[in-house]
Amino acid sequence: MGATLAWGRHYLMVAPEHFRVDYAINPFMDPADQPDPVATRDQWDAIVAAIGDAGGRVEVLPQRPDAPDMVYAMNLGLPLVGPSGPVAVLSHMRYPERRMETGTAATWFADRGYALHTIGRDGVGAHFEAGDAFAWRGELVVGFGPRTEKLALKHLANDLDVPVRGVRITHPGMYHLDLGFCPLDETRAMVCPAAFDDASARKLLDLVPEPLVLTEAEAMTFCANSIVVGRTVIMPACPDRVRARLEAWDFEVVVVGVPEFLKGGGAIRCLTNPLDVPLG
């Protein structure tokens, strides 16, 4: 059994008070197919309950009325616990429809003592979306391509003084790293090679001592868009083969269906932002 992740027990989430599909910035969004508000709230509450049952806790940020995608809290920024205190790298969203979220996130982090870092702002400078970044095994693993620009990786390395390993995302349906990659513990992770170009897929598979390799079809269930609380994996879906491997590794699988949030192109990892990730 690998050592459990050093993080994943404290999350920021955004209450779905104004969640809707007003535009289409990923292949899953269709303004003609709106989420049901009651079902949306029930699914969000179920995630919060599952985190609590697994021993984690959640802080809640109110949603801006003009930011329907703000429920996908992972992309507000990348918070990290550094040696001198907490830091947060604010996202610089690729699409202007989401950029107003950053100001609200900046206020929330600053009020709690975070040192703020920015890579770009208001469409000027490199784009960086925090759903493309994982701190794992002493470095940052960062996807680039559809949302995050490669130049952002250099800024992350310089600003945070941490090694950054970049992987190029090429699959249009796995536009963030957290749709094709999910660390499980210190030696295991789910990896979908189809999300990346060949060189990046090999790089990720070489990085992970014991990968759980997902097929494209498995990954498109959003099973990698999961979170891990100790030995509990909270997932939006879990194909049978994936469940068998996880349980053989002594993980408890908890499935929380989020079909209303899939209409916006995100699942459980997208809806949660870990606040206890150590830097380096």
Side-chain angles (χ1 to χ4, degrees):
M1 182 185 298
T4 58
L5 294 173
W7 51 271
R9 293 167 176 80
H10 184 196
Y11 292 92
L12 174 65
M13 296 181 66
V14 175
E17 297 153 344
H18 306 284
F19 175 53
R20 58 192 183 275
V21 180
D22 282 358
Y23 41 77
I25 59 173
N26 66 56
F28 306 97
M29 300 179 82
D30 179 0
D33 186 14
Q34 290 295 320
D36 176 80
V38 174
T40 293
R41 184 70 200 210
D42 288 345
Q43 291 163 23
W44 189 89
D45 286 343
I47 298 170
V48 175
I51 292 171
D53 290 345
R57 62 190 177 100
V58 172
E59 295 193 45
V60 180
L61 174 64
Q63 185 177 9
R64 293 174 56 129
D66 62 344
D69 268 353
M70 191 175 166
V71 292
Y72 301 113
M74 188 59 242
N75 283 304
L76 295 176
L78 180 66
L80 299 163
V81 182
S84 301
V87 300
V89 183
L90 299 175
S91 288
H92 179 210
M93 306 289 194
R94 169 79 69 167
Y95 291 100
E97 289 90 341
R98 293 199 65 182
R99 289 181 191 151
M100 78 287 285
E101 301 171 25
T102 303
T104 303
T107 299
W108 191 91
F109 286 123
D111 286 349
R112 287 154 182 80
Y114 283 76
L116 302 182
H117 295 259
T118 57
I119 290 175
R121 183 176 180 179
D122 298 330
V124 178
H127 294 109
F128 166 68
E129 298 192 4
D132 278 323
F134 281 94
W136 194 56
R137 295 174 65 84
E139 59 188 15
L140 285 182
V141 182
V142 182
F144 63 92
R147 296 296 182 88
T148 294
E149 293 179 283
K150 190 174 183 179
L151 178 60
L153 279 61
K154 181 181 293 186
H155 289 288
L156 289 168
N158 290 338
D159 290 354
L160 300 175
D161 191 26
V162 65
V164 174
R165 186 183 299 265
V167 290
R168 183 183 296 276
I169 300 168
T170 56
H171 194 292
M174 288 181 267
Y175 48 89
H176 279 139
L177 180 62
D178 59 15
L179 295 169
F181 176 67
C182 177
L184 297 166
D185 59 23
E186 289 299 327
T187 61
R188 302 181 177 112
M190 289 186 272
V191 180
C192 179
F196 311 98
D197 66 19
D198 290 344
S200 294
R202 289 194 299 270
K203 184 186 296 187
L204 265 184
L205 291 172
D206 287 344
L207 173 67
V208 181
E210 294 183 81
L212 198 173
V213 178
L214 303 176
T215 66
E216 181 181 12
E218 288 169 336
M220 293 308 292
T221 69
F222 281 69
C223 67
N225 201 245
S226 301
I227 60 173
V228 182
V229 184
R231 304 300 297 182
T232 300
V233 189
I234 303 173
M235 312 179 72
C238 189
D240 290 344
R241 187 189 68 87
V242 176
R243 179 186 288 272
R245 177 65 64 86
L246 291 172
E247 291 178 346
W249 284 342
D250 292 322
F251 287 101
E252 178 186 5
V253 174
V254 175
V255 174
V256 179
V258 290
E260 298 307 302
F261 292 106
L262 296 182
K263 296 175 181 179
I268 292 174
R269 164 75 179 184
C270 292
L271 293 161
T272 56
N273 195 325
L275 298 172
D276 55 353
V277 179
L279 175 63

